[in-house]
Amino acid sequence: IDNVLWMTSLNAGDFLLGKDEFDVVRMIREAAKTFEGVMKEKEVQFSLQLPEEELRMVSDRSKVERIFKNLLNNAVKFTPRGDITVKVQRSADGMSIDLEVIDTGIGMDQTQIETMFEPFQQMDGSTQREFSGLGLGLTVARRLTEFLGGTLRVQSETGAGTHAFVSLPYVAKS
């Protein structure tokens, strides 16, 4: 339901850009806690590779958090067992913060990769599908990333997992 509401707001163009100063490392730690139970239940090994120091940015915290939660939710959903790693660091040029969510889950084939950012696209469109959801998570994540002036790329291979890479500017676009 959250993603439907986000999508509705994105489509209506009635988004305001909040500019909060916050520590991305702390936000990632707090948001990741909401997934601990399901990862433990699925026996997924989870690791956070975060810097020791704060990484402060001026952006819309709720939108950055939604991007991260959608990416982590997909990783958890499509990793029946294996590993999920989250990395956060300053970009090489120092102008942005890079966030990666890497899993060893089921991955996607080329057809799925080509349509993954389209709304309501499902890994399996049948009525008997194994995975639930509306197919909005990646769409919302990408649109929010672009709204904040960043980029989102995804690499995936069937049976080998998925690697989502987000780069967000330290200060969100005006």
Side-chain angles (χ1 to χ4, degrees), residues 36-59:
E36 285 178 348
V38 69
M39 285 190 280
K40 189 174 188 175
E41 186 178 294
K42 292 175 80 172
E43 298 180 8
V44 170
Q45 298 299 310
F46 181 65
S47 67
L48 289 171
Q49 296 179 10
L50 307 172
E52 298 280 329
E53 75 278 358
E54 289 185 340
L55 280 181
R56 301 200 69 75
M57 69 186 302
V58 178
S59 190

Side-chain angles (χ1 to χ4, degrees), residues 5-25:
L5 296 173
W6 282 102
M7 195 69 188
T8 301
S9 293
L10 283 163
N11 286 339
D14 62 358
F15 256 24
L16 297 175
L17 177 63
K19 288 215 175 175
D20 314 305
E21 183 176 345
F22 63 97
D23 175 18
V24 178
V25 173

Side-chain angles (χ1 to χ4, degrees), residues 73-140:
N73 184 61
N74 269 14
V76 170
K77 183 189 305 186
F78 297 111
T79 305
R81 70 181 60 80
D83 302 306
I84 297 174
T85 302
V86 172
K87 297 179 183 180
V88 177
Q89 62 189 9
R90 283 185 173 84
S91 65
D93 66 7
M95 300 301 291
S96 58
I97 293 176
D98 294 339
L99 164 66
E100 298 174 71
V101 178
I102 306 157
D103 68 63
T104 60
I106 64 173
M108 292 180 273
D109 64 29
Q110 191 58 41
T111 303
Q112 292 163 328
I113 291 169
E114 290 170 7
T115 62
M116 71 183 158
F117 292 116
E118 293 177 19
F120 305 108
Q121 291 300 309
Q122 299 282 330
M123 291 286 295
D124 175 3
S126 73
T127 58
Q128 303 290 322
R129 67 179 184 256
E130 179 181 352
F131 302 102
S132 63
L134 294 175
L136 290 174
L138 287 176
T139 305
V140 168

